[in-house]
Amino acid sequence: MHERADRLLAGLVTLDDEVEREFEQRLVESATLAFRVAFGVLRHHEDAEDVAQDALAKAHRNFHQLRDRERFRGWLVRMTWRMALDRQRANRRRASRETIVDADDAPASDPDVVSRERATRLWDAIDGLPEKLRLVVILAGIEGHNIREVAALLDVPEGTVKSRLFAARNELRAQLSWMATRTR
Amino acid sequence: MDGHKDTLTDEAMAREIESALTVEPSPQFVAKVRARVAREPLRAANAGSWRLWLGGAAVMAGAVAVFVWIGAPPATSTRGAAPSSAALATGSEAAAVPNEPAQPAVAPRGVAPAPAPTPIRRPLRRERARLEPSAAQTNEVALPRVLIPENEKRGFELLVTELRDREHAKVVAEATRDLITPGPPWLEIAPVIVEPLQDVGIAQGEGQ
């Protein structure tokens, strides 16, 4: 009787060890991706790390529920995205962001200032996109993901990613048209 | 400044976004995640077994509740009192379940509706089986038990035995010889002849 219990317990321990090893492997592969997704929403280093850490901890807690482990990255990306949006809403009034600078601090002729102003405007325009378009734009900008990889991460057809990306770029182009008139 | 025109191209936007997102977490980031994960116990694949335990416990509780309810005595109520043991002993289910007066479907105006009748629990099958006689028991004729002296009983049994041995005719003849006497042969009774009556009308007309 005790031997059976010991064998059963040993089997459970072995199973836990295997799950832990597999999660460790996924963690090494996907930690940076989770951080960048969170950073794409928050653009705040510490906040992005906090959110990515929360997302990875949640993924660890629910790792056994994930039947297809090959979809871990997409699962983690969507989870991180939602948590980052929640954090962004909570920190909506946060004053200091790392990349935000006041465009009037320096003369527009300074190339660095122009570049930073351009980046600020671009991210403001991205923040104004609908969530689905915004997520596609950010994922396409992370780690050089192509359309197929973005489709796999979001678990949607490639055509959907293409149309969303096209719509997002049109929207951004319309919002940033002032740059062309100003730089001429 | 013409170089800034490419800001609006897709490639430029993509480059801008990509360069902004090419950030690395701090070197301690993965270590922090590992430490946090280590603090939280892993819910392994067998962690869902608590649901099975919970479901099993619920089923057991339900079974125990049903068992207790079946074994409980019938509930007493003010409107339909529990049947007395005498009433139940007669096996009459009508006595066990008194007839409720029929309630009108719609109460007349100005009259407060009668309170809902208290549900009366019907005797369960096990109770009915205990209280009601079975079909075999019902078919038996309940004979009263008569106590007679042993010698009389034996004599009666001998009489029955003799009757069964075809001596009954002789015994009866001997026993009734003195009682049966043939009637006198000279006594004869003439048959009574009843003639039909004449019609009343004809009789009256003839009289006039």
Side-chain angles (χ1 to χ4, degrees):
Chain A
M1 186 69 181
H2 291 294
E3 291 176 0
R4 272 185 79 180
D6 288 343
R7 279 203 304 272
L8 189 63
L9 190 60
L12 291 177
V13 170
T14 306
L15 181 66
D16 285 352
D17 287 346
E18 286 180 5
V19 172
E20 288 287 1
R21 273 198 298 271
E22 190 172 358
F23 183 80
E24 171 65 22
Q25 184 184 349
R26 306 284 175 186
L27 172 65
V28 172
E29 291 171 358
S30 311
T32 304
L33 173 65
F35 167 76
R36 285 175 175 166
V37 168
F39 188 83
V41 176
L42 300 167
R43 288 188 307 286
H44 190 278
H45 207 277
E46 283 75 25
D47 279 358
E49 279 200 357
D50 283 348
V51 168
Q53 190 175 325
D54 290 345
L56 285 163
K58 188 175 179 182
H60 178 257
R61 282 197 302 272
N62 300 320
F63 191 58
H64 66 277
Q65 294 178 353
L66 185 64
R67 293 177 184 171
D68 186 0
R69 301 283 164 83
E70 297 305 314
R71 296 189 173 185
F72 177 79
R73 281 169 69 87
W75 182 55
L76 179 66
V77 161
R78 291 191 291 274
M79 202 166 6
T80 308
W81 175 261
R82 286 194 299 271
M83 295 172 78
L85 288 179
D86 290 344
R87 175 68 70 95
Q88 187 187 38
R89 291 188 193 104
N91 296 342
R92 183 65 77 178
R93 295 181 180 177
R94 193 183 190 98
S96 60
R97 287 183 177 170
E98 288 182 347
T99 57
I100 287 183
V101 293
D102 192 345
D104 296 332
D105 284 350
S109 58
D110 188 344
D112 288 343
V113 173
V114 171
S115 173
R116 288 159 70 179
E117 179 189 355
R118 195 173 57 212
T120 302
R121 301 292 179 181
L122 174 63
W123 282 106
D124 285 347
I126 291 173
D127 284 347
L129 290 174
E131 265 189 35
K132 289 180 178 177
L133 305 186
R134 187 177 166 199
L135 178 57
V136 168
V137 167
I138 290 177
L139 287 182
I142 293 176
E143 299 176 1
H145 287 144
N146 57 26
I147 287 177
R148 187 170 54 82
E149 289 167 332
V150 174
L153 285 175
L154 297 180
D155 200 17
V156 295
E158 292 182 25
T160 303
V161 175
K162 271 184 192 171
S163 63
R164 286 181 187 173
L165 204 53
F166 181 75
R169 283 172 177 164
N170 281 344
E171 184 80 18
L172 291 175
R173 199 179 296 118
Q175 288 195 23
L176 300 176
S177 60
W178 65 273
M179 285 188 183
T181 58
R182 186 173 175 179
T183 53
R184 276 175 191 162
Chain B
M1 296 298 244
D2 288 345
H4 292 285
K5 284 183 182 177
D6 62 350
T7 306
L8 298 179
T9 63
D10 290 349
E11 292 78 14
M13 275 195 297
R15 271 201 307 274
E16 192 80 45
I17 295 168
E18 195 166 342
S19 65
L21 293 176
T22 309
V23 288
E24 296 293 331
S26 62
Q28 301 86 13
F29 173 63
V30 177
K32 284 180 188 172
V33 174
R34 284 198 187 103
R36 179 165 173 182
V37 160
R39 284 199 303 269
E40 296 180 357
L42 174 71
R43 283 191 232 162
N46 60 345
S49 59
W50 67 270
R51 292 191 183 91
L52 293 176
W53 282 103
L54 190 64
V59 169
M60 286 294 293
V64 168
V66 169
F67 182 77
V68 168
W69 184 77
I70 287 174
T76 57
S77 64
T78 54
R79 289 179 63 88
S84 63
S85 59
L88 288 175
T90 59
S92 168
E93 190 163 340
V97 183
N99 290 329
E100 290 286 329
Q103 297 290 336
V106 177
R109 289 185 179 180
V111 178
T118 307
I120 301 169
R121 189 172 71 82
R122 296 184 61 198
L124 297 171
R125 188 166 58 182
R126 197 174 64 180
E127 295 172 355
R128 285 202 298 268
R130 192 181 69 231
L131 298 174
E132 294 177 357
S134 64
Q137 291 172 341
T138 311
N139 290 335
E140 289 178 1
V141 179
L143 295 175
R145 189 176 181 188
V146 180
L147 297 177
I148 57 175
E150 191 62 26
N151 53 354
E152 291 183 10
K153 178 186 173 186
R154 196 173 297 121
F156 183 74
E157 287 175 352
L158 285 174
L159 175 63
V160 171
T161 305
E162 286 180 359
L163 288 175
R164 284 180 180 168
D165 291 341
R166 297 183 182 177
E167 295 291 335
H168 60 280
K170 184 178 178 182
V171 171
V172 169
E174 288 179 358
T176 59
R177 185 188 307 158
D178 299 334
L179 297 177
I180 300 173
T181 54
W186 45 268
L187 184 60
E188 289 183 0
I189 300 173
V192 179
I193 299 170
V194 179
E195 295 179 355
L197 296 173
Q198 291 181 349
D199 191 5
V200 179
I202 295 172
Q204 287 178 351
E206 288 174 352
Q208 289 175 356

